Amino acid sequence: PMFIDKPVAGTLTDAVAIYLAAEHFQSPVFSCSSLRYASAAQRAREGALGDVIGCDAFSPCSLEPSHPDLYWYGIHGVELLFTVMGPGCRQVHRASGEHTDFVMGSWENGRVGSFRGLRPPARQVYGGPVFGAEGIQALGSFEGYGPLVLQIGQFFRTGQPPVARDETLEIYAFMTAADASKQQGGAAVSLESVLREARAAALPRLKSLGVELPGS
């Protein structure tokens, strides 16, 4: 079993390749931000506010040239968003400036969620409101690594990843589609389109590393 700290990879293609290889070699793997286990986010995911209608998550979003923009630090806020909203995002639009990135995602059933990436001079904090059918709640902020470490320990004992592969890949597809939207002036980009490209490139990527999977 292997836990991979965020980001799981530097490209969506490599993220897909990692999970394909893990499945092929029957080696359990998972990756997530420690923000996934913020107590308020977990309560909202478990239904404390009824059905989640939307969420506006934010986090620091420093950039690193070797990675897609949001992979490097925006992943924390995006993971918060998906922890609360769950998978099912269809497309994203992105607006970008020197100090801020804003990505709006459209989920199935008409739900809408957003991520705001913060850069100085904005305060470098984590959080955002969750909108539920039975109330509105603030997500709070970073609570330390303890809750994540407990999940990692349980994962090593059981071999059962606490975060599903498809949800993790959707998170990275969200961030990759956000980059594509930025390049297209804020146009809508579907997550399926970037996942399709990544899946097509993943098998040759693995083959170049000496791993031949069926169909490669």
Side-chain angles (χ1 to χ4, degrees):
M2 177 172 286
F3 169 74
I4 304 175
D5 194 19
K6 63 82 194 166
V8 67
T11 67
L12 182 57
T13 294
D14 280 353
V16 172
I18 285 169
Y19 279 93
L20 286 174
E23 182 178 8
H24 176 70
F25 292 111
Q26 299 182 8
S27 178
V29 63
F30 92 97
S31 176
C32 73
S33 159
S34 58
L35 272 293
R36 174 171 285 270
Y37 293 102
S39 56
Q42 287 295 311
R43 287 195 299 270
R45 187 179 180 101
E46 292 166 2
L49 302 174
D51 292 339
V52 172
I53 299 166
C55 175
D56 298 327
F58 54 79
S59 77
C61 190
S62 57
L63 306 180
E64 163 55 48
S66 63
H67 286 62
D69 286 354
L70 306 187
Y71 278 41
W72 188 249
Y73 231 78
I75 175 61
H76 290 304
V78 176
E79 187 105 37
L80 267 178
L81 176 64
F82 272 81
T83 299
V84 172
M85 296 287 289
C89 184
R90 300 308 187 199
Q91 65 177 23
V92 301
H93 300 260
R94 176 177 172 183
S96 186
E98 180 181 359
H99 306 299
T100 305
D101 279 294
F102 184 80
V103 185
M104 186 183 76
S106 299
W107 264 253
E108 56 194 9
N109 302 325
R111 299 185 303 145
V112 175
S114 70
F115 164 71
R116 180 179 291 272
L118 307 173
R119 290 187 286 277
R123 288 185 61 200
Q124 302 299 282
V125 292
Y126 307 84
V130 181
F131 304 93
E134 299 174 10
I136 301 172
Q137 176 181 310
L139 281 172
S141 191
F142 177 58
E143 298 174 9
Y145 294 104
L148 172 59
V149 172
L150 288 174
Q151 293 294 323
I152 295 170
Q154 184 174 352
F155 166 63
F156 285 156
R157 289 194 298 271
T158 66
Q160 298 299 314
V163 184
R165 173 199 63 184
D166 289 349
E167 182 168 343
T168 296
L169 290 178
E170 188 172 315
I171 288 170
Y172 286 85
F174 177 98
M175 296 187 291
T176 301
D179 258 19
S181 177
K182 177 183 177 180
Q183 293 161 10
Q184 297 174 34
V189 175
S190 74
L191 273 63
E192 180 54 37
S193 67
V194 297
L195 275 168
R196 186 167 55 247
E197 293 177 6
R199 292 181 188 122
L203 290 178
R205 174 73 171 129
L206 285 169
K207 189 173 183 179
S208 75
L209 298 171
V211 180
E212 291 210 35
L213 274 58
S216 63

